[in-house]
Amino acid sequence: MTPATIRLAVADDHILFRKGLRALISGFPGMEVLFEAGDGEELLQRLDQGNLPEVILMDLQMPNLDGLQTVRLLRAQYPRIRVIIISMHDEPELIESLKAEGAHGYLLKNASPEEVRGAIMAAAIENRSAMTAQLG
């Protein structure tokens, strides 16, 4: 029996980075990128259409709705979705404040493919464990 595919979304205002991240994730077995978004507003619109991922990889700095604003909205509207923030900023205070707001992980934009895969797996396992606990 194979584990269920982890469904993801990628939100970043830089098209090349977003496409590269999608290509990287598509190479990981058992993972599928459902859609991409250029900012938090577009991400929420896609979610409202019912296409719900388990994990979202999202840039911190985006136009319209940035990562922090979007995490707050996601926590209220879609609490089962796990969010991993991706940023070039490496300040511990920032990382802790994002986690306090509801982010489930934090990756630097220069993370290795193994770190990206590990963060996705950890978020998905946390999500599936929480759902199992609610059912059981």
Side-chain angles (χ1 to χ4, degrees), residues 62-85:
M62 298 181 292
N64 300 323
L65 276 177
D66 68 20
L68 180 58
Q69 295 167 315
T70 306
V71 164
R72 289 176 179 151
L73 292 168
L74 288 169
R75 184 180 64 194
Q77 296 174 24
Y78 299 98
R80 289 189 175 161
I81 297 175
R82 299 300 188 238
V83 179
I84 300 170
I85 296 291

mmCIF file with all atom_site columns, all heavy atoms in Angstrom, residues 62-85:
data_model
loop_
_atom_site.group_PDB
_atom_site.id
_atom_site.type_symbol
_atom_site.label_atom_id
_atom_site.label_alt_id
_atom_site.label_comp_id
_atom_site.label_asym_id
_atom_site.label_entity_id
_atom_site.label_seq_id
_atom_site.pdbx_PDB_ins_code
_atom_site.Cartn_x
_atom_site.Cartn_y
_atom_site.Cartn_z
_atom_site.occupancy
_atom_site.B_iso_or_equiv
_atom_site.pdbx_formal_charge
_atom_site.auth_seq_id
_atom_site.auth_comp_id
_atom_site.auth_asym_id
_atom_site.auth_atom_id
_atom_site.pdbx_PDB_model_num
ATOM 1   N N   . MET A 1 62 ? 5.224   39.420 -0.757 1.00 0.00 ? 62 MET A N   1
ATOM 2   C CA  . MET A 1 62 ? 4.478   39.398 -2.014 1.00 0.00 ? 62 MET A CA  1
ATOM 3   C C   . MET A 1 62 ? 3.592   40.634 -2.059 1.00 0.00 ? 62 MET A C   1
ATOM 4   O O   . MET A 1 62 ? 3.225   41.166 -1.019 1.00 0.00 ? 62 MET A O   1
ATOM 5   C CB  . MET A 1 62 ? 3.587   38.143 -2.098 1.00 0.00 ? 62 MET A CB  1
ATOM 6   C CG  . MET A 1 62 ? 4.320   36.830 -2.081 1.00 0.00 ? 62 MET A CG  1
ATOM 7   S SD  . MET A 1 62 ? 3.190   35.407 -2.228 1.00 0.00 ? 62 MET A SD  1
ATOM 8   C CE  . MET A 1 62 ? 2.302   35.467 -0.666 1.00 0.00 ? 62 MET A CE  1
ATOM 9   N N   . PRO A 1 63 ? 3.212   41.075 -3.261 1.00 0.00 ? 63 PRO A N   1
ATOM 10  C CA  . PRO A 1 63 ? 2.277   42.207 -3.364 1.00 0.00 ? 63 PRO A CA  1
ATOM 11  C C   . PRO A 1 63 ? 0.863   41.796 -2.950 1.00 0.00 ? 63 PRO A C   1
ATOM 12  O O   . PRO A 1 63 ? 0.571   40.611 -2.805 1.00 0.00 ? 63 PRO A O   1
ATOM 13  C CB  . PRO A 1 63 ? 2.338   42.569 -4.848 1.00 0.00 ? 63 PRO A CB  1
ATOM 14  C CG  . PRO A 1 63 ? 2.755   41.317 -5.531 1.00 0.00 ? 63 PRO A CG  1
ATOM 15  C CD  . PRO A 1 63 ? 3.640   40.585 -4.561 1.00 0.00 ? 63 PRO A CD  1
ATOM 16  N N   . ASN A 1 64 ? -0.003  42.766 -2.787 1.00 0.00 ? 64 ASN A N   1
ATOM 17  C CA  . ASN A 1 64 ? -1.413  42.595 -2.432 1.00 0.00 ? 64 ASN A CA  1
ATOM 18  C C   . ASN A 1 64 ? -1.565  42.020 -1.028 1.00 0.00 ? 64 ASN A C   1
ATOM 19  O O   . ASN A 1 64 ? -1.827  42.763 -0.100 1.00 0.00 ? 64 ASN A O   1
ATOM 20  C CB  . ASN A 1 64 ? -2.188  41.771 -3.463 1.00 0.00 ? 64 ASN A CB  1
ATOM 21  C CG  . ASN A 1 64 ? -2.156  42.415 -4.833 1.00 0.00 ? 64 ASN A CG  1
ATOM 22  O OD1 . ASN A 1 64 ? -2.210  43.627 -4.958 1.00 0.00 ? 64 ASN A OD1 1
ATOM 23  N ND2 . ASN A 1 64 ? -2.040  41.615 -5.864 1.00 0.00 ? 64 ASN A ND2 1
ATOM 24  N N   . LEU A 1 65 ? -1.422  40.732 -0.860 1.00 0.00 ? 65 LEU A N   1
ATOM 25  C CA  . LEU A 1 65 ? -1.424  40.103 0.462  1.00 0.00 ? 65 LEU A CA  1
ATOM 26  C C   . LEU A 1 65 ? -0.084  39.404 0.643  1.00 0.00 ? 65 LEU A C   1
ATOM 27  O O   . LEU A 1 65 ? 0.243   38.483 -0.099 1.00 0.00 ? 65 LEU A O   1
ATOM 28  C CB  . LEU A 1 65 ? -2.537  39.056 0.569  1.00 0.00 ? 65 LEU A CB  1
ATOM 29  C CG  . LEU A 1 65 ? -3.935  39.502 0.925  1.00 0.00 ? 65 LEU A CG  1
ATOM 30  C CD1 . LEU A 1 65 ? -4.893  38.319 0.916  1.00 0.00 ? 65 LEU A CD1 1
ATOM 31  C CD2 . LEU A 1 65 ? -3.985  40.212 2.252  1.00 0.00 ? 65 LEU A CD2 1
ATOM 32  N N   . ASP A 1 66 ? 0.692   39.856 1.625  1.00 0.00 ? 66 ASP A N   1
ATOM 33  C CA  . ASP A 1 66 ? 1.993   39.217 1.834  1.00 0.00 ? 66 ASP A CA  1
ATOM 34  C C   . ASP A 1 66 ? 1.832   37.915 2.620  1.00 0.00 ? 66 ASP A C   1
ATOM 35  O O   . ASP A 1 66 ? 0.721   37.529 2.997  1.00 0.00 ? 66 ASP A O   1
ATOM 36  C CB  . ASP A 1 66 ? 2.968   40.179 2.517  1.00 0.00 ? 66 ASP A CB  1
ATOM 37  C CG  . ASP A 1 66 ? 2.591   40.519 3.961  1.00 0.00 ? 66 ASP A CG  1
ATOM 38  O OD1 . ASP A 1 66 ? 1.816   39.771 4.595  1.00 0.00 ? 66 ASP A OD1 1
ATOM 39  O OD2 . ASP A 1 66 ? 3.103   41.535 4.470  1.00 0.00 ? 66 ASP A OD2 1
ATOM 40  N N   . GLY A 1 67 ? 2.933   37.241 2.866  1.00 0.00 ? 67 GLY A N   1
ATOM 41  C CA  . GLY A 1 67 ? 2.897   35.946 3.534  1.00 0.00 ? 67 GLY A CA  1
ATOM 42  C C   . GLY A 1 67 ? 2.305   35.998 4.932  1.00 0.00 ? 67 GLY A C   1
ATOM 43  O O   . GLY A 1 67 ? 1.515   35.136 5.310  1.00 0.00 ? 67 GLY A O   1
ATOM 44  N N   . LEU A 1 68 ? 2.660   37.008 5.719  1.00 0.00 ? 68 LEU A N   1
ATOM 45  C CA  . LEU A 1 68 ? 2.151   37.109 7.081  1.00 0.00 ? 68 LEU A CA  1
ATOM 46  C C   . LEU A 1 68 ? 0.640   37.340 7.091  1.00 0.00 ? 68 LEU A C   1
ATOM 47  O O   . LEU A 1 68 ? -0.097  36.659 7.816  1.00 0.00 ? 68 LEU A O   1
ATOM 48  C CB  . LEU A 1 68 ? 2.867   38.231 7.836  1.00 0.00 ? 68 LEU A CB  1
ATOM 49  C CG  . LEU A 1 68 ? 2.419   38.451 9.279  1.00 0.00 ? 68 LEU A CG  1
ATOM 50  C CD1 . LEU A 1 68 ? 2.580   37.178 10.112 1.00 0.00 ? 68 LEU A CD1 1
ATOM 51  C CD2 . LEU A 1 68 ? 3.184   39.609 9.906  1.00 0.00 ? 68 LEU A CD2 1
ATOM 52  N N   . GLN A 1 69 ? 0.163   38.268 6.280  1.00 0.00 ? 69 GLN A N   1
ATOM 53  C CA  . GLN A 1 69 ? -1.284  38.520 6.195  1.00 0.00 ? 69 GLN A CA  1
ATOM 54  C C   . GLN A 1 69 ? -2.021  37.263 5.734  1.00 0.00 ? 69 GLN A C   1
ATOM 55  O O   . GLN A 1 69 ? -3.085  36.930 6.261  1.00 0.00 ? 69 GLN A O   1
ATOM 56  C CB  . GLN A 1 69 ? -1.567  39.665 5.215  1.00 0.00 ? 69 GLN A CB  1
ATOM 57  C CG  . GLN A 1 69 ? -1.033  41.008 5.656  1.00 0.00 ? 69 GLN A CG  1
ATOM 58  C CD  . GLN A 1 69 ? -1.054  42.023 4.518  1.00 0.00 ? 69 GLN A CD  1
ATOM 59  O OE1 . GLN A 1 69 ? -0.665  41.716 3.391  1.00 0.00 ? 69 GLN A OE1 1
ATOM 60  N NE2 . GLN A 1 69 ? -1.497  43.232 4.812  1.00 0.00 ? 69 GLN A NE2 1
ATOM 61  N N   . THR A 1 70 ? -1.449  36.579 4.768  1.00 0.00 ? 70 THR A N   1
ATOM 62  C CA  . THR A 1 70 ? -2.089  35.380 4.221  1.00 0.00 ? 70 THR A CA  1
ATOM 63  C C   . THR A 1 70 ? -2.117  34.249 5.244  1.00 0.00 ? 70 THR A C   1
ATOM 64  O O   . THR A 1 70 ? -3.116  33.539 5.363  1.00 0.00 ? 70 THR A O   1
ATOM 65  C CB  . THR A 1 70 ? -1.389  34.940 2.926  1.00 0.00 ? 70 THR A CB  1
ATOM 66  O OG1 . THR A 1 70 ? -1.360  36.055 2.019  1.00 0.00 ? 70 THR A OG1 1
ATOM 67  C CG2 . THR A 1 70 ? -2.112  33.785 2.266  1.00 0.00 ? 70 THR A CG2 1
ATOM 68  N N   . VAL A 1 71 ? -1.033  34.077 6.014  1.00 0.00 ? 71 VAL A N   1
ATOM 69  C CA  . VAL A 1 71 ? -1.007  33.044 7.058  1.00 0.00 ? 71 VAL A CA  1
ATOM 70  C C   . VAL A 1 71 ? -2.126  33.292 8.057  1.00 0.00 ? 71 VAL A C   1
ATOM 71  O O   . VAL A 1 71 ? -2.824  32.356 8.462  1.00 0.00 ? 71 VAL A O   1
ATOM 72  C CB  . VAL A 1 71 ? 0.366   33.002 7.773  1.00 0.00 ? 71 VAL A CB  1
ATOM 73  C CG1 . VAL A 1 71 ? 0.294   32.245 9.090  1.00 0.00 ? 71 VAL A CG1 1
ATOM 74  C CG2 . VAL A 1 71 ? 1.412   32.362 6.887  1.00 0.00 ? 71 VAL A CG2 1
ATOM 75  N N   . ARG A 1 72 ? -2.328  34.536 8.445  1.00 0.00 ? 72 ARG A N   1
ATOM 76  C CA  . ARG A 1 72 ? -3.404  34.858 9.399  1.00 0.00 ? 72 ARG A CA  1
ATOM 77  C C   . ARG A 1 72 ? -4.770  34.485 8.832  1.00 0.00 ? 72 ARG A C   1
ATOM 78  O O   . ARG A 1 72 ? -5.602  33.906 9.531  1.00 0.00 ? 72 ARG A O   1
ATOM 79  C CB  . ARG A 1 72 ? -3.373  36.349 9.726  1.00 0.00 ? 72 ARG A CB  1
ATOM 80  C CG  . ARG A 1 72 ? -2.191  36.750 10.578 1.00 0.00 ? 72 ARG A CG  1
ATOM 81  C CD  . ARG A 1 72 ? -2.163  38.242 10.773 1.00 0.00 ? 72 ARG A CD  1
ATOM 82  N NE  . ARG A 1 72 ? -1.043  38.640 11.607 1.00 0.00 ? 72 ARG A NE  1
ATOM 83  C CZ  . ARG A 1 72 ? -0.434  39.813 11.521 1.00 0.00 ? 72 ARG A CZ  1
ATOM 84  N NH1 . ARG A 1 72 ? -0.850  40.712 10.650 1.00 0.00 ? 72 ARG A NH1 1
ATOM 85  N NH2 . ARG A 1 72 ? 0.579   40.092 12.314 1.00 0.00 ? 72 ARG A NH2 1
ATOM 86  N N   . LEU A 1 73 ? -5.000  34.798 7.569  1.00 0.00 ? 73 LEU A N   1
ATOM 87  C CA  . LEU A 1 73 ? -6.274  34.472 6.937  1.00 0.00 ? 73 LEU A CA  1
ATOM 88  C C   . LEU A 1 73 ? -6.446  32.959 6.779  1.00 0.00 ? 73 LEU A C   1
ATOM 89  O O   . LEU A 1 73 ? -7.531  32.425 7.004  1.00 0.00 ? 73 LEU A O   1
ATOM 90  C CB  . LEU A 1 73 ? -6.400  35.170 5.583  1.00 0.00 ? 73 LEU A CB  1
ATOM 91  C CG  . LEU A 1 73 ? -6.535  36.695 5.649  1.00 0.00 ? 73 LEU A CG  1
ATOM 92  C CD1 . LEU A 1 73 ? -6.368  37.311 4.268  1.00 0.00 ? 73 LEU A CD1 1
ATOM 93  C CD2 . LEU A 1 73 ? -7.875  37.080 6.259  1.00 0.00 ? 73 LEU A CD2 1
ATOM 94  N N   . LEU A 1 74 ? -5.379  32.284 6.401  1.00 0.00 ? 74 LEU A N   1
ATOM 95  C CA  . LEU A 1 74 ? -5.440  30.828 6.248  1.00 0.00 ? 74 LEU A CA  1
ATOM 96  C C   . LEU A 1 74 ? -5.746  30.141 7.573  1.00 0.00 ? 74 LEU A C   1
ATOM 97  O O   . LEU A 1 74 ? -6.521  29.191 7.623  1.00 0.00 ? 74 LEU A O   1
ATOM 98  C CB  . LEU A 1 74 ? -4.129  30.289 5.675  1.00 0.00 ? 74 LEU A CB  1
ATOM 99  C CG  . LEU A 1 74 ? -3.863  30.588 4.207  1.00 0.00 ? 74 LEU A CG  1
ATOM 100 C CD1 . LEU A 1 74 ? -2.434  30.235 3.853  1.00 0.00 ? 74 LEU A CD1 1
ATOM 101 C CD2 . LEU A 1 74 ? -4.841  29.849 3.319  1.00 0.00 ? 74 LEU A CD2 1
ATOM 102 N N   . ARG A 1 75 ? -5.133  30.623 8.639  1.00 0.00 ? 75 ARG A N   1
ATOM 103 C CA  . ARG A 1 75 ? -5.370  30.029 9.956  1.00 0.00 ? 75 ARG A CA  1
ATOM 104 C C   . ARG A 1 75 ? -6.854  30.103 10.319 1.00 0.00 ? 75 ARG A C   1
ATOM 105 O O   . ARG A 1 75 ? -7.418  29.175 10.889 1.00 0.00 ? 75 ARG A O   1
ATOM 106 C CB  . ARG A 1 75 ? -4.519  30.724 11.013 1.00 0.00 ? 75 ARG A CB  1
ATOM 107 C CG  . ARG A 1 75 ? -4.645  30.075 12.386 1.00 0.00 ? 75 ARG A CG  1
ATOM 108 C CD  . ARG A 1 75 ? -3.811  30.754 13.414 1.00 0.00 ? 75 ARG A CD  1
ATOM 109 N NE  . ARG A 1 75 ? -4.300  32.121 13.579 1.00 0.00 ? 75 ARG A NE  1
ATOM 110 C CZ  . ARG A 1 75 ? -3.653  33.086 14.196 1.00 0.00 ? 75 ARG A CZ  1
ATOM 111 N NH1 . ARG A 1 75 ? -2.465  32.855 14.706 1.00 0.00 ? 75 ARG A NH1 1
ATOM 112 N NH2 . ARG A 1 75 ? -4.159  34.286 14.318 1.00 0.00 ? 75 ARG A NH2 1
ATOM 113 N N   . ALA A 1 76 ? -7.498  31.213 9.962  1.00 0.00 ? 76 ALA A N   1
ATOM 114 C CA  . ALA A 1 76 ? -8.916  31.390 10.277 1.00 0.00 ? 76 ALA A CA  1
ATOM 115 C C   . ALA A 1 76 ? -9.826  30.631 9.310  1.00 0.00 ? 76 ALA A C   1
ATOM 116 O O   . ALA A 1 76 ? -10.795 29.996 9.733  1.00 0.00 ? 76 ALA A O   1
ATOM 117 C CB  . ALA A 1 76 ? -9.269  32.873 10.254 1.00 0.00 ? 76 ALA A CB  1
ATOM 118 N N   . GLN A 1 77 ? -9.510  30.685 8.010  1.00 0.00 ? 77 GLN A N   1
ATOM 119 C CA  . GLN A 1 77 ? -10.410 30.135 6.998  1.00 0.00 ? 77 GLN A CA  1
ATOM 120 C C   . GLN A 1 77 ? -10.128 28.675 6.639  1.00 0.00 ? 77 GLN A C   1
ATOM 121 O O   . GLN A 1 77 ? -11.048 27.938 6.281  1.00 0.00 ? 77 GLN A O   1
ATOM 122 C CB  . GLN A 1 77 ? -10.334 30.986 5.726  1.00 0.00 ? 77 GLN A CB  1
ATOM 123 C CG  . GLN A 1 77 ? -10.819 32.409 5.924  1.00 0.00 ? 77 GLN A CG  1
ATOM 124 C CD  . GLN A 1 77 ? -10.605 33.264 4.688  1.00 0.00 ? 77 GLN A CD  1
ATOM 125 O OE1 . GLN A 1 77 ? -10.511 32.761 3.574  1.00 0.00 ? 77 GLN A OE1 1
ATOM 126 N NE2 . GLN A 1 77 ? -10.528 34.567 4.876  1.00 0.00 ? 77 GLN A NE2 1
ATOM 127 N N   . TYR A 1 78 ? -8.884  28.275 6.687  1.00 0.00 ? 78 TYR A N   1
ATOM 128 C CA  . TYR A 1 78 ? -8.486  26.917 6.284  1.00 0.00 ? 78 TYR A CA  1
ATOM 129 C C   . TYR A 1 78 ? -7.494  26.350 7.305  1.00 0.00 ? 78 TYR A C   1
ATOM 130 O O   . TYR A 1 78 ? -6.323  26.114 6.993  1.00 0.00 ? 78 TYR A O   1
ATOM 131 C CB  . TYR A 1 78 ? -7.844  26.945 4.894  1.00 0.00 ? 78 TYR A CB  1
ATOM 132 C CG  . TYR A 1 78 ? -8.756  27.451 3.813  1.00 0.00 ? 78 TYR A CG  1
ATOM 133 C CD1 . TYR A 1 78 ? -8.692  28.770 3.375  1.00 0.00 ? 78 TYR A CD1 1
ATOM 134 C CD2 . TYR A 1 78 ? -9.706  26.607 3.231  1.00 0.00 ? 78 TYR A CD2 1
ATOM 135 C CE1 . TYR A 1 78 ? -9.544  29.246 2.375  1.00 0.00 ? 78 TYR A CE1 1
ATOM 136 C CE2 . TYR A 1 78 ? -10.559 27.074 2.239  1.00 0.00 ? 78 TYR A CE2 1
ATOM 137 C CZ  . TYR A 1 78 ? -10.465 28.388 1.826  1.00 0.00 ? 78 TYR A CZ  1
ATOM 138 O OH  . TYR A 1 78 ? -11.313 28.839 0.841  1.00 0.00 ? 78 TYR A OH  1
ATOM 139 N N   . PRO A 1 79 ? -7.937  26.098 8.525  1.00 0.00 ? 79 PRO A N   1
ATOM 140 C CA  . PRO A 1 79 ? -7.003  25.692 9.582  1.00 0.00 ? 79 PRO A CA  1
ATOM 141 C C   . PRO A 1 79 ? -6.305  24.353 9.345  1.00 0.00 ? 79 PRO A C   1
ATOM 142 O O   . PRO A 1 79 ? -5.266  24.098 9.944  1.00 0.00 ? 79 PRO A O   1
ATOM 143 C CB  . PRO A 1 79 ? -7.887  25.643 10.837 1.00 0.00 ? 79 PRO A CB  1
ATOM 144 C CG  . PRO A 1 79 ? -9.279  25.493 10.325 1.00 0.00 ? 79 PRO A CG  1
ATOM 145 C CD  . PRO A 1 79 ? -9.313  26.184 8.991  1.00 0.00 ? 79 PRO A CD  1
ATOM 146 N N   . ARG A 1 80 ? -6.844  23.513 8.468  1.00 0.00 ? 80 ARG A N   1
ATOM 147 C CA  . ARG A 1 80 ? -6.210  22.201 8.224  1.00 0.00 ? 80 ARG A CA  1
ATOM 148 C C   . ARG A 1 80 ? -5.036  22.282 7.252  1.00 0.00 ? 80 ARG A C   1
ATOM 149 O O   . ARG A 1 80 ? -4.242  21.347 7.170  1.00 0.00 ? 80 ARG A O   1
ATOM 150 C CB  . ARG A 1 80 ? -7.241  21.217 7.686  1.00 0.00 ? 80 ARG A CB  1
ATOM 151 C CG  . ARG A 1 80 ? -8.233  20.818 8.741  1.00 0.00 ? 80 ARG A CG  1
ATOM 152 C CD  . ARG A 1 80 ? -9.099  19.701 8.253  1.00 0.00 ? 80 ARG A CD  1
ATOM 153 N NE  . ARG A 1 80 ? -9.969  19.252 9.336  1.00 0.00 ? 80 ARG A NE  1
ATOM 154 C CZ  . ARG A 1 80 ? -11.051 18.564 9.158  1.00 0.00 ? 80 ARG A CZ  1
ATOM 155 N NH1 . ARG A 1 80 ? -11.415 18.222 7.934  1.00 0.00 ? 80 ARG A NH1 1
ATOM 156 N NH2 . ARG A 1 80 ? -11.785 18.198 10.173 1.00 0.00 ? 80 ARG A NH2 1
ATOM 157 N N   . ILE A 1 81 ? -4.930  23.366 6.501  1.00 0.00 ? 81 ILE A N   1
ATOM 158 C CA  . ILE A 1 81 ? -3.823  23.501 5.553  1.00 0.00 ? 81 ILE A CA  1
ATOM 159 C C   . ILE A 1 81 ? -2.566  23.931 6.303  1.00 0.00 ? 81 ILE A C   1
ATOM 160 O O   . ILE A 1 81 ? -2.599  24.858 7.114  1.00 0.00 ? 81 ILE A O   1
ATOM 161 C CB  . ILE A 1 81 ? -4.161  24.524 4.444  1.00 0.00 ? 81 ILE A CB  1
ATOM 162 C CG1 . ILE A 1 81 ? -5.360  24.033 3.622  1.00 0.00 ? 81 ILE A CG1 1
ATOM 163 C CG2 . ILE A 1 81 ? -2.943  24.760 3.546  1.00 0.00 ? 81 ILE A CG2 1
ATOM 164 C CD1 . ILE A 1 81 ? -5.839  25.031 2.578  1.00 0.00 ? 81 ILE A CD1 1
ATOM 165 N N   . ARG A 1 82 ? -1.470  23.251 6.038  1.00 0.00 ? 82 ARG A N   1
ATOM 166 C CA  . ARG A 1 82 ? -0.184  23.583 6.648  1.00 0.00 ? 82 ARG A CA  1
ATOM 167 C C   . ARG A 1 82 ? 0.576   24.531 5.730  1.00 0.00 ? 82 ARG A C   1
ATOM 168 O O   . ARG A 1 82 ? 0.597   24.326 4.510  1.00 0.00 ? 82 ARG A O   1
ATOM 169 C CB  . ARG A 1 82 ? 0.644   22.322 6.899  1.00 0.00 ? 82 ARG A CB  1
ATOM 170 C CG  . ARG A 1 82 ? -0.016  21.322 7.841  1.00 0.00 ? 82 ARG A CG  1
ATOM 171 C CD  . ARG A 1 82 ? -0.264  21.964 9.183  1.00 0.00 ? 82 ARG A CD  1
ATOM 172 N NE  . ARG A 1 82 ? -0.727  21.022 10.174 1.00 0.00 ? 82 ARG A NE  1
ATOM 173 C CZ  . ARG A 1 82 ? -1.877  21.138 10.827 1.00 0.00 ? 82 ARG A CZ  1
ATOM 174 N NH1 . ARG A 1 82 ? -2.688  22.122 10.564 1.00 0.00 ? 82 ARG A NH1 1
ATOM 175 N NH2 . ARG A 1 82 ? -2.212  20.270 11.750 1.00 0.00 ? 82 ARG A NH2 1
ATOM 176 N N   . VAL A 1 83 ? 1.192   25.558 6.317  1.00 0.00 ? 83 VAL A N   1
ATOM 177 C CA  . VAL A 1 83 ? 1.892   26.579 5.541  1.00 0.00 ? 83 VAL A CA  1
ATOM 178 C C   . VAL A 1 83 ? 3.375   26.563 5.897  1.00 0.00 ? 83 VAL A C   1
ATOM 179 O O   . VAL A 1 83 ? 3.744   26.607 7.073  1.00 0.00 ? 83 VAL A O   1
ATOM 180 C CB  . VAL A 1 83 ? 1.317   27.986 5.819  1.00 0.00 ? 83 VAL A CB  1
ATOM 181 C CG1 . VAL A 1 83 ? 2.076   29.035 5.021  1.00 0.00 ? 83 VAL A CG1 1
ATOM 182 C CG2 . VAL A 1 83 ? -0.169  28.035 5.486  1.00 0.00 ? 83 VAL A CG2 1
ATOM 183 N N   . ILE A 1 84 ? 4.194   26.509 4.855  1.00 0.00 ? 84 ILE A N   1
ATOM 184 C CA  . ILE A 1 84 ? 5.639   26.645 5.013  1.00 0.00 ? 84 ILE A CA  1
ATOM 185 C C   . ILE A 1 84 ? 6.022   27.955 4.337  1.00 0.00 ? 84 ILE A C   1
ATOM 186 O O   . ILE A 1 84 ? 5.776   28.142 3.139  1.00 0.00 ? 84 ILE A O   1
ATOM 187 C CB  . ILE A 1 84 ? 6.398   25.475 4.360  1.00 0.00 ? 84 ILE A CB  1
ATOM 188 C CG1 . ILE A 1 84 ? 5.984   24.149 5.010  1.00 0.00 ? 84 ILE A CG1 1
ATOM 189 C CG2 . ILE A 1 84 ? 7.908   25.696 4.462  1.00 0.00 ? 84 ILE A CG2 1
ATOM 190 C CD1 . ILE A 1 84 ? 6.484   22.920 4.277  1.00 0.00 ? 84 ILE A CD1 1
ATOM 191 N N   . ILE A 1 85 ? 6.586   28.867 5.101  1.00 0.00 ? 85 ILE A N   1
ATOM 192 C CA  . ILE A 1 85 ? 7.036   30.149 4.557  1.00 0.00 ? 85 ILE A CA  1
ATOM 193 C C   . ILE A 1 85 ? 8.423   29.960 3.955  1.00 0.00 ? 85 ILE A C   1
ATOM 194 O O   . ILE A 1 85 ? 9.284   29.292 4.533  1.00 0.00 ? 85 ILE A O   1
ATOM 195 C CB  . ILE A 1 85 ? 7.085   31.231 5.664  1.00 0.00 ? 85 ILE A CB  1
ATOM 196 C CG1 . ILE A 1 85 ? 5.688   31.504 6.215  1.00 0.00 ? 85 ILE A CG1 1
ATOM 197 C CG2 . ILE A 1 85 ? 7.738   32.508 5.142  1.00 0.00 ? 85 ILE A CG2 1
ATOM 198 C CD1 . ILE A 1 85 ? 4.743   32.194 5.254  1.00 0.00 ? 85 ILE A CD1 1
#
